[in-house]
Amino acid sequence: MSDDIHIDGQNEEIDFERQDLGAKPILIFLLGLIIGCVLVALVLKGLYSYLDGYENRRQPIQNPLVQQTTADTRIVEPGDITKFPQPRLETNEPVEINEFRVQEEKTLHSYGWIDQQAGVVRIPIDRAMELVAQRGLPTRPQAGVVPPSDVNVAKEAARRSDNNRQPVKKK
């Protein structure tokens, strides 16, 4: 073991890289990367333009009675949005959800008719909770309850009319 160590304390087997990476290979790599990205973008643009032209050539012939349009249907003008049927895509989510919440709050905290002909009304939720606390929940008669039979009524009447209440002795 003492043979591997020199007088200055360094091991001959352990060494380090004596040459640094130069700037030229790094610049060549970056230039190649940029050229590759530009080539990929150009190939994709050409591919998409070819596919768009291919799709336009393969469109079915339009009926001559239908009004010819040359406008690109992928571009939507703000006025055209109302022409689309419901449900529509959201264009401004925060504003639309706030409008929806305001409308729901108005519905929850106001009086109004749900069905005026049937006499069904809407009351504020706080008032509805007060009424339930005062009056209790509405109940309905239980469905399926069978009225008492004549035999059971007669037995019950006989039991009530018996004033003796003493057991009968058997002889």
Side-chain angles (χ1 to χ4, degrees):
M1 188 138 178
S2 62
D3 296 338
D4 294 341
I5 300 176
H6 290 284
I7 298 173
D8 56 356
Q10 292 184 356
N11 189 344
E12 288 180 357
E13 295 177 10
I14 299 175
D15 205 3
F16 61 92
E17 184 68 39
R18 298 193 182 276
Q19 181 180 3
D20 290 333
L21 186 61
K24 185 176 180 180
I26 294 173
L27 292 175
I28 291 173
F29 171 76
L30 290 177
L31 184 64
L33 188 63
I34 291 171
I35 290 172
C37 289
V38 168
L39 286 176
V40 167
L42 290 174
V43 167
L44 285 176
K45 181 166 175 47
L47 180 66
Y48 280 125
S49 65
Y50 168 75
L51 290 174
D52 198 28
Y54 179 83
E55 181 68 25
N56 287 336
R57 286 190 304 272
R58 301 291 188 281
Q59 289 293 322
I61 298 172
Q62 232 179 4
N63 188 330
L65 299 176
V66 175
Q67 185 180 17
Q68 298 292 328
T69 59
T70 58
D72 188 7
T73 57
R74 292 176 285 188
I75 299 172
V76 179
E77 298 295 327
D80 293 340
I81 292 174
T82 57
K83 295 178 185 176
F84 290 113
Q86 293 282 356
R88 295 187 192 106
L89 294 177
E90 295 178 348
T91 56
N92 191 352
E93 285 183 44
V95 171
E96 290 177 14
I97 193 70
N98 286 337
E99 289 174 359
F100 175 75
R101 288 180 180 156
V102 166
Q103 183 61 37
E104 290 295 313
E105 287 295 319
K106 285 180 184 176
T107 303
L108 281 176
H109 299 293
S110 66
Y111 292 91
W113 287 104
I114 293 177
D115 187 1
Q116 192 170 6
Q117 292 178 348
V120 180
V121 295
R122 178 185 72 241
I123 62 173
I125 194 164
D126 295 333
R127 180 68 180 138
M129 291 189 321
E130 288 173 10
L131 290 174
V132 168
Q134 288 173 0
R135 300 178 188 169
L137 292 173
T139 59
R140 290 187 280 176
Q142 291 183 347
V145 175
V146 179
S149 68
D150 293 336
V151 174
N152 289 338
V153 171
K155 285 182 181 178
E156 184 64 27
R159 189 185 63 77
R160 287 185 186 158
S161 66
D162 186 16
N163 293 336
N164 193 0
R165 302 244 186 224
Q166 295 177 356
V168 178
K169 296 182 183 179
K170 293 185 180 180
K171 295 182 183 179

